Amino acid sequence: MNIGFIGLGKLGLPCALAVESRGHKVVGYDPSEQVKDIVDTKKLQYQEIWAQEHLDKSKIEIKSMEDVVGESEIIFVPIQTPHDPLYEGTTRLPDERVDFDYTYLKKGIKDLSEEIWHQQSKKVVIVISTVLPGTIRREIKPIIDTNPYFKLCYNPFFIAMGTTMRDFLSPEIVLFGVDDNWASKKAKKFYRTLHHSPFYDTTIENAELIKVVYNTFISTKIAFVNTLMEACHKLPNTNVDDVTNALKMCDDRIISDKYLSGGMGDGGGCHPRDNIALSWLSRELDLSHDWFDNIMKQREKQTDWLANLIEETSFKYKGCYDGYPILILGKSFKPETNITTGSPSILLKNILEERGHKQVSMWDPYTDDSENKFQQEPMIYFIGTKHPDFISYEYNQGSIIIDPWRYIPDIDNCEVISIGNSLHG
């Protein structure tokens, strides 16, 4: 098929490359000069598995809106619905809650609708942007309702930044919110050329809700297990991994072992912001309890506790809370990627600086071009991201390594503190 994309950013381009990899012709429109430069030079500025190798041989062209509409049978719309950076998860939570910003999405839909109306040819338009329930009907439908050629579907993806192509081509389900049978049938025919994952047809409002609560359910597991990790760090003869390994075997009621290992809080471009947006919605709907606020507060309080642990370690060995230089290893929100959106380790650094610590540095082999040059003296290393590189990292002798992931081995002339494992020092 001929497939179009309105938006070729960090979500759109990897998905477009995935579609192209299955033999479809793909064209795209994006007003960003940065995006045009990436497509022209074939050099990604962010890390996505499979993406660079497919971009190297890609024939995707950036064209005008008119050409994309004219040449495409199905048009995907992965336009951003951002949150203010205050709600990204790298700083403390503001008291106020807010919805996503739909300005860019509405503008893109308006321009697309006008071009489809001008060409008077039926097009399946698949919006994949994250929105809160009710948004499509409230914000998008009024823009297109008088356009009989604009066949709208809402099809948010369950993908993670850094593994977008893999997740797009091997999804658990294809979530499809639709109120047009013709569009649904055409979309299903297209998806069967990509994979054989099950389709889940539902209302647009259900699809909107399923997308954000899917992310929030993951955040719930992370918040829960990190609370267990703190408990195991304080209870004698306990190890959080032993506890969660038992829970992971109980796949009848607990569902799966994913996101059930103690570590840092969740991050990325979806989870913190989706939790906050649902917290806003909870208050708008006057729910009896704002569950989503609990998740984000646990994430922040756990990071506060990690800062306490760093200070207590420094006091134990130096007699003052700011005695050691602190180096947080890892800025990205998950291993082996350079994406720092919503990074809990950046939140930790900000909290330490808020408390007055002046000797806090960060280094990440996936985000920093500069060489790893820090003073050759004992310091506190905190493993903020579970990069495999830190297993063989050259730690200064006499240092203390605080590991919330429990994967750093014992190191000569250093002390390793495995958080959540009171059996290990």
Side-chain angles (χ1 to χ4, degrees), residues 106-164:
K106 290 166 65 176
K107 174 68 165 56
I109 291 294
K110 181 177 182 296
D111 293 344
L112 179 59
S113 181
E114 289 175 353
E115 186 55 48
I116 291 174
W117 173 262
H118 177 72
Q119 297 191 23
Q120 298 200 353
S121 176
K122 283 198 301 185
K123 302 292 178 181
V124 176
V125 178
I126 300 177
V127 175
I128 63 179
S129 312
T130 300
V131 302
L132 282 182
T135 301
I136 297 294
R137 193 163 303 279
R138 184 185 70 248
E139 304 287 349
I140 304 303
K141 284 278 191 177
I143 299 173
I144 64 172
D145 261 354
T146 58
N147 187 346
Y149 306 105
F150 195 114
K151 302 300 181 180
L152 176 68
C153 304
Y154 182 60
N155 170 215
F157 302 152
F158 300 121
I159 58 93
M161 293 187 298
T163 55
T164 300

Side-chain angles (χ1 to χ4, degrees), residues 263-265 327-334 343-346 348 362-364 381-387 390 402-405 407:
M264 299 290 282
L327 176 56
I328 299 173
L329 292 174
K331 296 179 183 177
S332 58
F333 83 99
K334 68 177 183 179
S343 165
S345 54
I346 294 177
L348 176 60
M362 298 188 80
W363 184 77
D364 191 309
Y381 295 94
F382 185 93
I383 311 297
T385 310
K386 194 181 178 182
H387 291 314
F390 298 145
I402 301 178
D403 174 21
W405 314 98
Y407 77 121

Side-chain angles (χ1 to χ4, degrees), residues 273-344:
R273 74 182 208 127
D274 287 7
N275 295 328
I276 294 168
L278 283 169
S279 178
W280 172 84
L281 184 63
S282 295
R283 299 178 185 191
E284 288 292 300
L285 297 176
D286 194 24
L287 297 186
S288 59
H289 180 65
D290 184 355
W291 170 259
F292 312 102
D293 189 54
N294 280 353
I295 298 169
M296 293 309 296
K297 283 183 176 176
Q298 186 281 339
R299 179 184 186 271
E300 186 172 298
K301 287 181 181 296
Q302 184 219 1
T303 311
D304 257 321
W305 175 72
L306 293 173
N308 291 343
L309 192 60
I310 291 171
E311 290 180 338
E312 290 164 5
T313 302
S314 181
F315 188 85
K316 177 181 177 182
Y317 289 91
K318 283 284 190 177
C320 58
Y321 289 122
D322 198 19
Y324 277 104
I326 301 165
L327 176 56
I328 299 173
L329 292 174
K331 296 179 183 177
S332 58
F333 83 99
K334 68 177 183 179
E336 298 182 89
T337 181
N338 63 346
I339 301 170
T340 60
T341 306
S343 165

Side-chain angles (χ1 to χ4, degrees), residues 213-243:
V213 297
Y214 178 98
N215 287 343
T216 300
F217 191 84
I218 290 172
S219 299
T220 300
K221 292 177 76 172
I222 293 172
F224 169 73
V225 77
N226 283 342
T227 301
L228 284 182
M229 181 180 72
E230 182 179 345
C232 287
H233 197 74
K234 297 176 178 179
L235 290 169
N237 294 316
T238 59
N239 180 350
V240 67
D241 295 323
D242 291 343
V243 175

Side-chain angles (χ1 to χ4, degrees), residues 85-94 299-300 343 346-347 350-351:
L86 288 173
Y87 296 91
E88 187 178 283
T90 58
T91 56
R92 289 194 184 276
L93 284 172
R299 179 184 186 271
E300 186 172 298
S343 165
I346 294 177
L347 173 62
N350 287 332
I351 287 175

